[in-house]
DNA sequence: GTTCGTGCAAATACTTTGCAAGTCG
DNA sequence: CGACTTGCAAAGTATTTGCACGAAC
């Protein structure tokens, strides 16, 4: 992924920062992950490569990479902040509140909303992030069953008591 | 706002919880705020009414109100979590990254995306939240000027040094 | 040599928990 | 009485900061 390294370096330099080994490693870890990583996960994977890297560096680096738009931070419900490579201007998630399966939705999902908001409200340099949270079909059915259970339970329990 | 109190109470009871004075106060504070409130802001306003209410209660109550969908928690960029009354199934924000002005966008913004996702992915009980972050027109122009400044600055500064 | 980055340890901030006492049904 | 709540203090976590040393420009 030579072009990725090149552009990271260029972007950092444009802002007066350097692409240090640590920053490079952290970017790589995030790049290689299929989905999003929490701070802890990033820390863990970085330390596998070099155990000396400190947590403060991870915090500082994520902050810095965010500030130059190389990565994006998302807050999904009931989760710590997650980090991912910021490759487009939009990114969307569909999440199950129970099993936490996460589906990445296409950037085109919202059509021309991007331009629409920019012209309508005079905003510039917009980035959009949609979070859709609910229950996937599986979990939904499981929940329904649990609910049914709870409603039936009390009665039989009383009967059994009298058997004693 | 009698109907609001009634329904809050009913919803809490349905889940086996009580509408205590503290919970009522916290709901009220959030309800009355025009926009979103952080935990600190909620704490502050609650304490104005009753200084004895403890921070843990605020934390516990927000958690509980979230769990029964009476309030919603949003994470806007570079901000602590914010809380608001959850009155619909969707809620959207347009924020300036510089001055943090926040525009609330209409629930209808995304059209039938809600149903579309539910049928397409088999999800249930979906809630959507869109965060659009960028720069408002004012801040954008200010930034452009600052950028121009920075490019010109270094030269004059050197001249002045020689006056000493 | 000056600025930028890092590791380490300490300091801060944020959030959760245990428990005794109070309230409601 | 038994389940639900709360305030307070303590424990836990998470995040930020100060500083001395090393690397890059």
């Amino acid at each position: 992924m030579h072009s990725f390294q090149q552009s990271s370096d260029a972007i950092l330099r444009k802002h007066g920062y350097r692409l240090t080994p640590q920053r490079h490693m952290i970017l790589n870890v995030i790049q290689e992950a299929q989905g999003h990583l929490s701070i802890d996960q990033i820390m863990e994977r970085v330390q596998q490569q070099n155990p000396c890297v400190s947590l403060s560096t991870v915090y500082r680096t994520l902050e810095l990479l965010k500030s130059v738009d190389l990565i994006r931070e998302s807050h999904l419900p009931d989760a710590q902040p997650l980090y991912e490579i910021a490759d487009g201007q939009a990114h969307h998630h569909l999440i199950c509140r129970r099993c936490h399966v996460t589906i990445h939705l296409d950037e085109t999902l919202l059509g021309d909303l991007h331009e629409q908001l920019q012209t309508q409200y005079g905003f510039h340099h917009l980035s959009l992030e949609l979070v859709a949270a609910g229950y996937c079909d599986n979990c939904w059915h499981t929940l329904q069953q649990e609910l049914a259970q709870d409603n039936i339970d009390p009665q039989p329990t009383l009967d059994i008591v009298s058997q004693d």
Side-chain angles (χ1 to χ4, degrees), chain A:
Chain A
M1 225 138 271
H2 194 230
S3 65
F4 171 65
Q5 280 185 34
Q6 270 194 338
S7 58
S8 307
D9 191 45
I11 289 171
L12 285 172
R13 283 176 184 283
K14 195 174 64 187
H15 290 265
Y17 302 127
R18 300 170 193 165
L19 182 54
T20 66
Q22 289 89 334
R23 290 174 185 171
H24 185 250
M25 224 187 299
I26 291 171
L27 262 174
N28 251 334
V29 161
I30 300 177
Q31 173 80 179
E32 281 167 6
Q34 72 302 25
H36 297 185
L37 296 177
S38 67
I39 291 211
D40 293 338
Q41 292 173 312
I42 293 169
M43 185 62 183
E44 194 181 305
R45 298 184 190 201
V46 165
Q47 292 222 320
Q48 274 180 296
Q49 295 179 45
N50 178 351
C52 288
V53 177
S54 81
L55 229 201
S56 356
T57 298
V58 174
Y59 274 104
R60 285 187 280 222
T61 301
L62 291 175
E63 201 52 43
L64 183 141
L65 295 176
K66 232 175 26 175
S67 79
V68 300
D69 285 327
L70 273 170
I71 63 173
R72 193 199 318 274
E73 183 185 59
S74 340
H75 290 271
L76 308 187
D78 304 314
Q80 340 171 32
L82 300 175
Y83 299 87
E84 67 180 333
I85 296 295
D87 39 12
Q89 67 210 164
H91 191 218
H92 312 303
H93 298 98
L94 176 60
I95 307 129
C96 174
R97 290 185 189 276
R98 186 161 171 281
C99 70
H100 300 107
V101 61
T102 303
I103 298 172
H104 288 229
L105 300 173
D106 198 81
E107 176 161 355
T108 61
L109 185 72
L110 301 183
D112 66 343
L113 185 60
H114 198 270
E115 289 75 26
Q116 198 182 310
L117 288 174
Q118 292 193 158
T119 58
Q120 186 171 350
Y121 293 96
F123 269 62
H124 305 255
H125 209 262
L126 265 190
S127 72
L128 304 187
E129 178 164 15
L130 177 74
V131 176
Y135 297 96
C136 71
D137 209 43
N138 263 339
C139 288
W140 183 251
H141 291 311
T142 308
L143 283 175
Q144 299 305 326
Q145 285 176 13
E146 284 177 10
L147 207 67
Q149 282 279 317
D150 287 349
N151 290 337
I152 293 166
D153 242 316
Q155 286 304 338
T157 317
L158 284 175
D159 290 341
I160 292 167
V161 169
S162 62
Q163 287 181 351
D164 196 10

